Amino acid sequence: MSGGKFLETLAGKRHPTPPIWLMRQAGRYLPEYRAVRSTTRSFLEFCYTPDKAVEVTLQPIRRFGLDAAIIFSDILVVPDALGQKVWFAEGEGPKLEALTDPSQFGRLSRARLQEHLAPVYEAIRRTRAELPRETALLGFAGAPFTLACYMIEGGGSKEFGKVKKWAYAHPESFKLLIDLLIDAVVDHLGHQVDAGADAVQLFDSWAGVLPEEQLFHWSLDPMVRIAKGLRVRHPHVPILAFPRAVGPAALMYRLPETFSALSLDTGIGAHWAAKEIQPHICVQGNLDPIMLVAGGEAMEREATRILDKLGHGSYVFNLGHGVVPQTPPDHVARLVEIVRNWKPSS
Ligand SMILES: Cc1c2[nH]c(c1CCC(=O)O)Cc1[nH]c(c(CCC(=O)O)c1C)Cc1[nH]c(c(CCC(=O)O)c1C)Cc1[nH]c(c(C)c1CCC(=O)O)C2
């Protein structure tokens, strides 16, 4: 099977040591990334230049021999493709021309999504052709609630006051946006699989800001609908879910029977996950990204603790969130070694 150990693990096959890849494995912590990045001012233009996207996708694979590559792109290409203005301000993160009124939904349209995102699909096609057969290629998208956060807040946020107020006070119009995003994300993931992605991951980075009922309604149900919609087109493609910071109870709500793997943030206990989640579904995670910055014995002890808890079941080694820019690349190389040399204790 192409895609090797990672895809086999998602399909239920056990290996002596788990596969490993890292969220945000391509990025500013790598000098070779910064070198390519510096050739394009606009981040979105960079994402839409297949030569460059392919190159930076392959960089961490060449350097560390990880079991999966994730296509270099961003979750905000979807609002961009729907017609919302998106840009990245130097040192400030993403900015969007915020939606302030439901009447503005009318300006968003899926009609040109495939055409607009053709460079992403081209980058996937070329990356798949260049990757070793045993390395899986992941496509991805932001889940509707996280996309709505950026679209309504106009960028990052601490309180998420605008998006939450809109969802609570005007659920009918918020639903229109979420429904549009469900369809757009199914389209985008479907095109990524058509282009050669072996599996896809849905990132709901901000799901954890919602209280329980709202979380089910605006984050988890839409994720389930996306998985079902994608399976109509691609019945066998593995789909991973990353509903960040939702707590243990919410993870058990409809996700284990719907997805191929659940990606755990650092707040989920590995021991609990081994007992309660792993019997139902493969888990991925959940080393603290700052352990990777710290390195040394602290990282080794913590990575081994997680491996001892989860490595006996269906498991993909990863972080609990993305690699941060201050990470020393040598620590990543060491982490890969720790995972590959791990020996189950019993
Ligand atoms: C919320 C979110 C975004 N983007 C993403 C998420 C979900 C995951 C998460 O919670 O971290 C996902 C993402 N963004 C990027 C990837 C590429 C693939 C990979 O993981 O290696 C992926 C999977 C590249 C990127 N996306 C971005 C960069 C840095 C910009 C640059 O290099 O100039 C990269 C490498 C920009 C971005 N894009 C986004 C933010 C908040 C930022 C600014 C913060 C930052 O700078 O790290 C939105």
Side-chain angles (χ1 to χ4, degrees):
M1 186 197 289
S2 104
K5 196 170 174 177
F6 175 78
L7 292 183
E8 287 171 4
T9 298
L10 293 181
K13 184 166 183 258
R14 291 293 319 286
H15 286 267
T17 64
I20 171 172
W21 71 281
L22 304 174
M23 293 190 266
R24 293 283 193 104
Q25 63 194 23
R28 284 167 299 185
Y29 77 106
L30 290 177
E32 60 268 38
Y33 170 86
R34 295 196 298 270
V36 183
R37 176 72 187 88
S38 68
T39 60
T40 314
R41 262 195 57 173
S42 146
F43 179 71
L44 279 180
E45 195 187 317
F46 178 54
C47 290
Y48 295 148
T49 308
D51 281 350
K52 295 181 184 179
V54 172
E55 170 56 24
V56 300
T57 303
L58 295 173
Q59 285 172 349
I61 306 305
R62 286 192 205 112
R63 202 192 248 259
F64 307 116
L66 298 153
D67 295 294
I70 181 162
I71 191 64
F72 190 83
S73 177
D74 198 84
I75 64 164
L76 297 176
V77 300
V78 165
D80 184 56
L82 292 174
Q84 189 169 10
K85 199 165 171 238
V86 179
W87 69 102
F88 286 77
E90 190 75 47
E92 282 183 63
K95 301 276 174 214
L96 295 86
E97 202 168 76
L99 298 174
T100 53
D101 185 283
S103 67
Q104 294 163 345
F105 294 162
R107 291 192 216 146
L108 303 176
S109 160
R110 278 159 66 211
R112 285 167 44 91
L113 184 138
Q114 183 172 12
E115 185 188 339
H116 192 91
L117 298 180
V120 178
Y121 311 136
E122 177 61 21
I124 290 177
R125 226 169 272 121
R126 289 201 219 161
T127 305
R128 186 56 273 174
E130 290 201 26
L131 274 175
R133 263 179 73 80
E134 67 275 13
T135 312
L137 178 58
L138 276 152
F140 71 92
F145 180 70
T146 289
L147 294 176
C149 285
Y150 286 100
M151 294 170 83
I152 292 174
E153 299 290 339
S157 173
K158 282 210 168 71
E159 304 276 329
F160 297 89
K162 293 185 187 130
V163 64
K164 292 207 292 185
K165 183 180 158 204
W166 194 328
Y168 302 167
H170 307 289
E172 318 73 28
S173 74
F174 195 65
K175 183 175 187 311
L176 295 177
L177 177 61
I178 294 291
D179 285 348
L180 171 69
L181 290 169
I182 289 172
D183 292 341
V185 168
V186 170
D187 282 350
H188 184 42
L189 293 175
H191 297 317
Q192 292 181 66
V193 178
D194 290 336
D198 299 301
V200 295
Q201 177 156 319
L202 257 183
F203 289 87
D204 215 351
S205 304
W206 301 117
V209 306
L210 290 171
E212 188 171 47
E213 267 212 17
Q214 305 284 330
L215 170 70
F216 293 161
H217 199 63
W218 300 123
S219 163
L220 305 178
D221 282 334
M223 287 217 262
V224 167
R225 281 176 58 195
I226 288 168
K228 293 195 165 154
L230 186 60
R231 291 239 163 80
V232 172
R233 299 190 204 179
H234 295 285
H236 305 297
V237 71
I239 314 174
L240 298 88
F242 180 46
R244 193 168 74 86
V246 300
L251 282 175
M252 304 310 288
Y253 170 85
R254 297 187 65 195
L255 300 178
E257 67 261 31
T258 308
F259 285 88
S260 314
L262 285 188
S263 198
L264 309 179
D265 61 75
T266 40
I268 301 293
H271 181 72
W272 179 86
K275 245 181 35 213
E276 303 296 334
I277 307 186
Q278 254 183 342
H280 308 288
I281 182 176
C282 178
V283 302
Q284 171 175 280
N286 66 345
L287 184 75
D288 187 338
I290 305 305
M291 280 290 177
L292 198 54
V293 178
E297 264 183 44
M299 176 178 84
E300 179 155 359
R301 223 178 305 119
E302 178 62 357
T304 306
R305 184 188 71 85
I306 294 173
L307 283 160
D308 287 342
K309 298 287 184 207
L310 294 170
H312 301 270
S314 184
Y315 176 54
V316 175
F317 197 97
N318 207 312
L319 303 179
H321 201 187
V323 176
V324 296
Q326 65 269 33
T327 304
D330 288 353
H331 293 185
V332 177
R334 177 68 192 130
L335 179 65
V336 173
E337 224 172 64
I338 292 167
V339 173
R340 298 254 162 91
N341 293 334
W342 174 71
K343 300 237 175 355
S345 45
S346 57

